[in-house]
Amino acid sequence: DSGVTQTPKHLITATGQRVTLRCSPRSGDLSVYWYQQSLDQGLQFLIQYYNGEERAKGNILERFSAQQFPDLHSELNLSSLELGDSALYFCASSPRVSGRASNDNEQFFGPGTRLTVL
Amino acid sequence: GIQVEQSPPDLILQEGANSTLRCNFSDSVNNLQWFHQNPWGQLINLFYIPSGTKQNGRLSATTVATERYSLLYISSSQTTDSGVYFCAGPSSGGSYIPTFGRGTSLIVHP
């Protein structure tokens, strides 16, 4: 158990719908990351938050948005869902952010949310 | 961006065998992690190893930052080692946003 929790574990929905995925980081971790894992694209970084503020953006679609709340949990919102959005969505957390090699950067992953869009 | 290449892409072992997985990077290495994704999809941290060598039980890892590669050694493999092994490489800039390789899929037969 990494200490990172994600809900729900599974989500089945229809095209055009909107869903919210939730993540609670490890106790004490300030940084949260969201990743998407699909069969054809592998593990792709979506977005990072640090202590409530957006820190970095990756390959995140405009239909997707995220935020980190004062209690440091994070939510990923996916809207106007398409079949191609079906994937495993992971949240990870790390203690802090450092531009140099540091254990503060080590990321721990949650169990993931498996999203199926029908 | 940084390119991360893992080899071999697939590996089939008999229980008890040893193996070496490799990760090559297109740019300088710092902040490198190895993960194991089990058959249930969980991503489990194995090592955070920006340089040097670390050992944890039957697993060990070595990163040679100056030569831009990292190795993961699995000794006396067990069926529970099956799954996909990912290395996650460095990124430039002030934040560690790892770039993942495509993984090595390992099957260990009893």
Side-chain angles (χ1 to χ4, degrees):
Chain A
D1 185 355
S2 68
V4 179
T5 61
Q6 288 187 248
T7 57
K9 286 186 179 175
H10 302 277
L11 200 46
I12 301 174
T13 188
T15 53
Q17 295 299 304
R18 172 190 170 94
V19 297
T20 297
L21 312 184
R22 183 189 167 105
C23 167
S24 291
R26 294 187 320 156
S27 176
D29 284 0
L30 299 177
S31 194
V32 168
Y33 309 76
W34 287 97
Y35 294 86
Q36 180 192 57
Q37 185 179 32
S38 58
L39 280 173
D40 55 343
Q41 294 292 321
L43 263 159
Q44 298 285 321
F45 165 69
L46 295 178
I47 196 165
Q48 177 202 11
Y49 282 83
Y50 180 69
N51 206 18
E53 294 191 4
E54 182 184 305
R55 180 69 186 251
K57 254 184 180 178
N59 302 322
I60 187 165
L61 300 171
E62 284 192 13
R63 299 183 286 108
F64 297 180
S65 64
Q67 57 186 126
Q68 186 180 27
F69 295 86
D71 67 353
L72 300 177
H73 91 270
S74 179
E75 293 180 358
L76 178 67
N77 300 297
L78 315 176
S79 61
S80 303
L81 285 167
E82 302 175 358
L83 295 178
D85 298 327
S86 296
L88 255 176
Y89 290 84
F90 286 103
C91 165
S93 73
S94 68
R96 283 171 187 79
V97 171
S98 174
R100 56 181 178 81
S102 164
N103 285 339
D104 283 345
N105 290 327
E106 185 174 3
Q107 294 188 18
F108 294 85
F109 280 73
T113 293
R114 187 173 295 277
L115 174 67
T116 303
V117 183
L118 301 175
Chain B
I2 302 241
Q3 305 298 314
V4 182
E5 289 186 9
Q6 290 191 244
S7 60
D10 302 282
L11 193 54
I12 300 175
L13 299 175
Q14 213 55 40
E15 204 168 26
N18 303 328
S19 61
T20 301
L21 281 57
R22 185 177 178 108
C23 197
N24 288 335
F25 301 91
S26 61
D27 206 335
S28 58
V29 175
N30 63 6
N31 294 304
L32 188 150
Q33 287 189 255
W34 281 96
F35 297 92
H36 173 219
Q37 189 167 33
N38 64 23
W40 295 270
Q42 264 188 304
L43 271 168
I44 299 161
N45 283 41
L46 296 178
F47 295 100
Y48 173 76
I49 183 166
S51 63
T53 296
K54 287 186 178 178
Q55 178 142 16
N56 185 4
R58 295 181 297 103
L59 272 58
S60 65
T62 295
T63 295
V64 184
T66 52
E67 297 188 20
R68 304 177 185 177
Y69 73 89
S70 185
L71 302 173
L72 178 70
Y73 306 96
I74 304 175
S75 65
S76 305
S77 58
Q78 300 176 358
T79 55
T80 51
D81 295 332
S82 297
V84 182
Y85 290 80
F86 291 100
C87 62
S91 63
S92 56
S95 186
Y96 172 49
I97 306 295
T99 300
F100 281 78
R102 300 291 292 185
T104 292
S105 177
L106 173 64
I107 298 174
V108 181
H109 289 303

